[in-house]
Amino acid sequence: MPHHRYRPYQQRVDVPAPERSWPGARIERAPLWVPVDLRDGNQALAEPMDTDRKRRFFDLLVSMGFKEIEVGYPSASRTDFEFVRYLAGRAARGGLPDDVTVVVFTPARPELIDRTFASVEGLPRAVVHLYIPTSPVWRDVVLGRSRDEVYGVVKEAAAHMARLADARPHADIRFQFAPETFNLTEPDYVLEVCDGLTELWDASPDRPVTHNLPATVEIATPNVYADQIEYMHRHLARRDSVILSVHPHNDRGTGVACAELAVLAGAQRVEGCLFGNGERTGNVDLVTLALNLYAQGVDPMVDFSDIDAVREVVEHCNRLPVHPRHPYAGDLVHTAFSGTHQDAISKGFAEHARRAAELGVPEREAPWDVPYLPIDPADIGRSYEAVIRVNSQSGKGGMAYVLRDRYGLDLPQDLRPDFSRVVQGTTDDSGQEATAKELYELFLATYVAPGRDGEVALSSWTTDRAPDGAHRFVCTLQVGDRAGDFEGAGNGPLSAFVDALAAAGITVGILDYAEHAVTEGGGSEAVAYVRCRVGGAEHGGGDAGVECWGAGLDTSVLTASVQAVLAAVNRAGAAR
């Protein structure tokens, strides 16, 4: 590959080496988030939004708590112009919240600025966002103008905006400037232009201007952008009258990091799109940025408590899917297939529940510290159902968690590896994921069904107590094509059943036993798990017998236990 054709950023733009303070800074409050989906995101769509889709998207953004929303490029599109007019009419009817400000975008051309101001007529407040490319390549190749000429165009446009705003004293119109391709522009030149507009617009702390410094096309690592932002933060005139804004794109895949480091470096406002839509590789993703803060214990000041509803609207309006692995919002981001991950998450859930009980608070209010899950999926409206899913990569912890969570079956620790091998064989053969229903059915077929339909079956049985207190088990056993009546005695009904099996020539030793209640669908059952050694020295020839697990399900604990022993016996017979 001809890498020699490309230059490092140091050869493309001068980046001052400041006394960096941003590496030691912390983000302790959210910046002002400004979604540009309806303008920058929209212009990147193969099928730009119509008015109905724009309305739906705008209403979503308002409901989530965004306070400044860039709604369009009214001089470039009739649809955008009409949408801004729709918002003006809605505001006149009291349908626009008092704390929401509309932002409109315009190039530095007088006739287009006029069209932009015409669109906001009737809005009680608006930000008019002026832009022009400022970097050498854009000045030379795109605009064909010198530094001074570009500055002159910007000043004339800014002065025209000021006159139009003064002619509308009834409206609160504020100004924003973006030196497009800021990150490729000489720092002294950007500073000169921004300071000139701050003065021209007579910015003050109660009427600040916004200087929006975009990484229009990413060219360097995020620390370089942070240095550029800190330089502007330290040197901008009337700093208390300027809102320092950033607008990162994602050409190098580091848009989120650029935005976060820019905030550390002094940025107060971040423009981006939900789920990172935008030109080329997209704008910075406001969802990831906001929830990254949330995961650090900082209020993001926007509401993602139902992230799937947000995603549904965005996918509908953009006609683009959100990737299954998209941070926080993708279908698979809270899902573990790996056995080691599943085991850690399962143990984490158990510890979280224990800690919540110890603190005397609901689990939703307890401090969150669960392996592999940066935030509680429930906080963004997700259930735990899809957190652990099972395929050929999964382990015993994962399938045990699914059976417990979905069906109330709490498998004994020693049964889990046995069932895991069964699941592994099935998923290896199919190459497919095993759903919770398929896991449950596989468990029933493997451990429960042999106790109800196998080589050894109970036709009928009763238990009672002898005068000496011993338990008796009387039954009719079907062994293959032979049937017979047998009786056993023991210190409990299950040991008496084992004795009856011995009378029928089937030697069984119970090595492990567990049982618990299962409540599902308003009913209650008991489940019993038994590990047995079937056969042994009694068979002669040094036979050590076969160890097998069985399980039973019934409304009666004893019946479930008897079925579990029978299942183990029949599974051992099949193994032989």
Side-chain angles (χ1 to χ4, degrees):
M1 296 174 66
H3 64 277
H4 59 275
R5 301 177 61 208
Y6 304 97
R7 294 178 295 156
Y9 77 89
Q10 297 95 328
Q11 296 178 20
R12 302 177 69 188
V13 63
D14 176 42
V15 179
E19 295 179 6
R20 296 180 180 90
S21 64
W22 63 261
R26 294 178 60 187
I27 303 177
E28 296 179 334
R29 57 175 295 178
L32 175 63
W33 309 115
V34 180
V36 296
D37 302 81
L38 299 175
R39 196 277 300 173
D40 206 350
N42 185 56
Q43 72 186 36
L45 298 176
E47 300 176 44
M49 295 180 222
D50 55 27
T51 299
D52 287 341
R53 283 152 67 201
K54 279 206 162 200
R55 288 175 185 172
R56 186 175 179 190
F57 210 133
F58 180 81
D59 289 341
L60 170 71
L61 296 171
V62 170
S63 72
M64 294 172 68
F66 290 103
K67 303 306 180 186
E68 270 191 29
I69 303 170
E70 190 165 87
V71 297
Y73 194 158
S75 66
S77 158
R78 185 179 67 184
T79 301
D80 279 17
F81 184 88
E82 290 175 350
F83 181 67
V84 181
R85 296 308 302 142
Y86 156 76
L87 292 177
R90 181 164 150 177
R93 298 187 299 272
L96 196 65
D98 292 339
D99 60 350
V100 173
T101 300
V102 164
V103 182
V104 288
F105 192 69
T106 182
R109 291 172 53 185
E111 71 278 13
L112 300 183
I113 293 171
D114 289 341
R115 178 75 168 165
T116 302
F117 270 81
S119 74
V120 301
E121 187 69 44
L123 280 169
R125 67 206 151 270
V127 173
V128 180
H129 183 180
L130 173 69
Y131 84 96
I132 196 168
T134 54
S135 67
V137 172
W138 268 255
R139 292 195 309 260
D140 298 342
V141 176
V142 180
L143 301 178
R145 296 177 186 266
S146 67
R147 281 174 53 141
D148 289 343
E149 288 172 330
V150 169
Y151 188 16
V153 170
V154 172
K155 284 197 294 186
E156 287 180 14
H160 187 52
M161 287 169 55
R163 288 190 295 271
L164 292 173
D166 288 342
R168 294 164 171 79
H170 56 281
D172 177 16
I173 296 179
R174 293 188 292 108
F175 305 123
Q176 175 175 337
F177 171 63
E180 191 183 10
T181 64
F182 154 79
N183 60 326
L184 277 164
T185 304
E186 306 93 328
D188 65 305
Y189 181 55
V190 175
L191 195 61
E192 177 187 3
V193 175
C194 288
D195 284 350
L197 296 193
T198 300
E199 181 178 357
L200 190 154
W201 284 331
D202 194 23
S204 62
D206 61 342
R207 190 176 174 75
V209 300
T210 299
H211 287 311
N212 187 44
L213 309 178
T216 306
V217 179
E218 281 194 305
I219 62 162
T221 49
N223 60 294
V224 175
Y225 187 56
D227 284 346
Q228 293 174 308
I229 297 302
E230 182 159 3
Y231 174 82
M232 296 296 290
H233 170 58
R234 287 174 177 266
H235 293 92
L236 279 168
R238 302 195 197 187
R239 184 63 186 88
D240 61 349
S241 303
V242 173
I243 298 170
L244 180 54
S245 177
V246 293
H247 180 109
H249 278 255
N250 200 43
D251 300 271
R252 291 169 53 92
T254 59
V256 167
C258 279
E260 291 179 332
L261 268 57
V263 172
L264 292 174
Q268 301 151 287
R269 180 181 184 272
V270 178
E271 293 187 351
C273 291
L274 301 189
F275 307 114
N277 180 42
E279 300 279 10
R280 304 179 310 283
T281 55
N283 292 72
V284 69
D285 174 23
L286 294 185
V287 177
T288 300
L289 283 172
L291 290 175
N292 280 357
L293 280 189
Y294 183 76
Q296 296 294 311
V298 176
D299 184 353
M301 304 301 289
V302 283
D303 183 6
F304 288 103
S305 59
D306 189 350
I307 201 164
D308 289 331
V310 173
R311 193 182 78 173
E312 189 275 327
V313 172
V314 174
E315 288 182 325
H316 168 78
C317 294
N318 287 343
R319 294 180 177 169
L320 288 173
V322 172
H323 195 279
R325 296 291 182 190
H326 194 98
Y328 300 106
D331 285 335
L332 297 176
V333 297
H334 301 119
T335 299
F337 290 104
S338 160
T340 54
H341 292 203
Q342 292 174 340
D343 185 57
I345 291 170
S346 180
K347 290 174 180 175
F349 276 143
E351 174 60 18
H352 179 72
R354 186 200 66 76
R355 193 163 53 242
E358 186 178 81
L359 294 171
V361 299
E363 289 183 30
R364 286 293 308 277
E365 296 178 17
W368 183 257
D369 194 14
V370 174
Y372 296 109
L373 295 176
I375 65 171
D376 185 347
D379 287 352
I380 53 175
R382 291 281 176 85
S383 73
Y384 298 130
E385 182 175 313
V387 168
I388 291 178
R389 290 162 58 179
V390 175
N391 64 12
S392 62
Q393 301 298 307
S394 305
K396 59 184 185 297
M399 58 82 191
Y401 173 85
V402 171
L403 289 179
R404 181 176 66 249
D405 183 64
R406 297 294 302 280
Y407 296 100
L409 297 180
D410 189 8
L411 272 57
Q413 288 290 341
D414 289 345
L415 172 55
R416 296 177 186 185
D418 190 84
F419 185 45
S420 179
R421 287 188 288 272
V422 175
V423 174
Q424 184 91 31
T426 301
T427 52
D428 272 340
D429 290 343
S430 70
Q432 302 292 314
E433 175 187 354
T435 66
K437 183 173 183 290
E438 289 168 342
L439 274 181
Y440 181 64
E441 291 173 348
L442 182 60
F443 176 82
L444 296 182
T446 304
Y447 297 103
V448 177
R452 298 172 175 174
D453 182 19
E455 180 75 7
V456 181
L458 277 171
S459 300
S460 62
W461 59 276
T462 61
T463 73
D464 60 18
R465 299 286 288 272
D468 62 359
H471 289 263
R472 292 192 306 172
F473 194 100
V474 179
C475 61
T476 300
L477 270 175
Q478 183 83 26
V479 182
D481 56 0
R482 296 180 295 108
D485 296 327
F486 301 94
E487 180 176 330
N491 58 9
L494 201 58
S495 62
F497 174 47
V498 167
D499 193 47
L501 288 171
I506 303 169
T507 304
V508 178
I510 295 179
L511 307 177
D512 208 345
Y513 174 84
E515 50 91 4
H516 62 80
V518 178
T519 303
E520 188 175 346
S524 181
E525 280 189 308
V527 58
Y529 313 93
V530 178
R531 180 163 62 98
C532 298
R533 178 179 290 113
V534 182
E538 289 83 356
H539 286 259
D543 186 359
V546 177
E547 287 189 15
C548 277
W549 279 93
L553 273 167
D554 197 85
T555 53
S556 160
V557 175
L558 177 57
T559 301
S561 302
V562 168
Q563 289 178 355
V565 172
L566 269 182
V569 168
N570 284 318
R571 292 189 70 230
R576 283 180 180 273

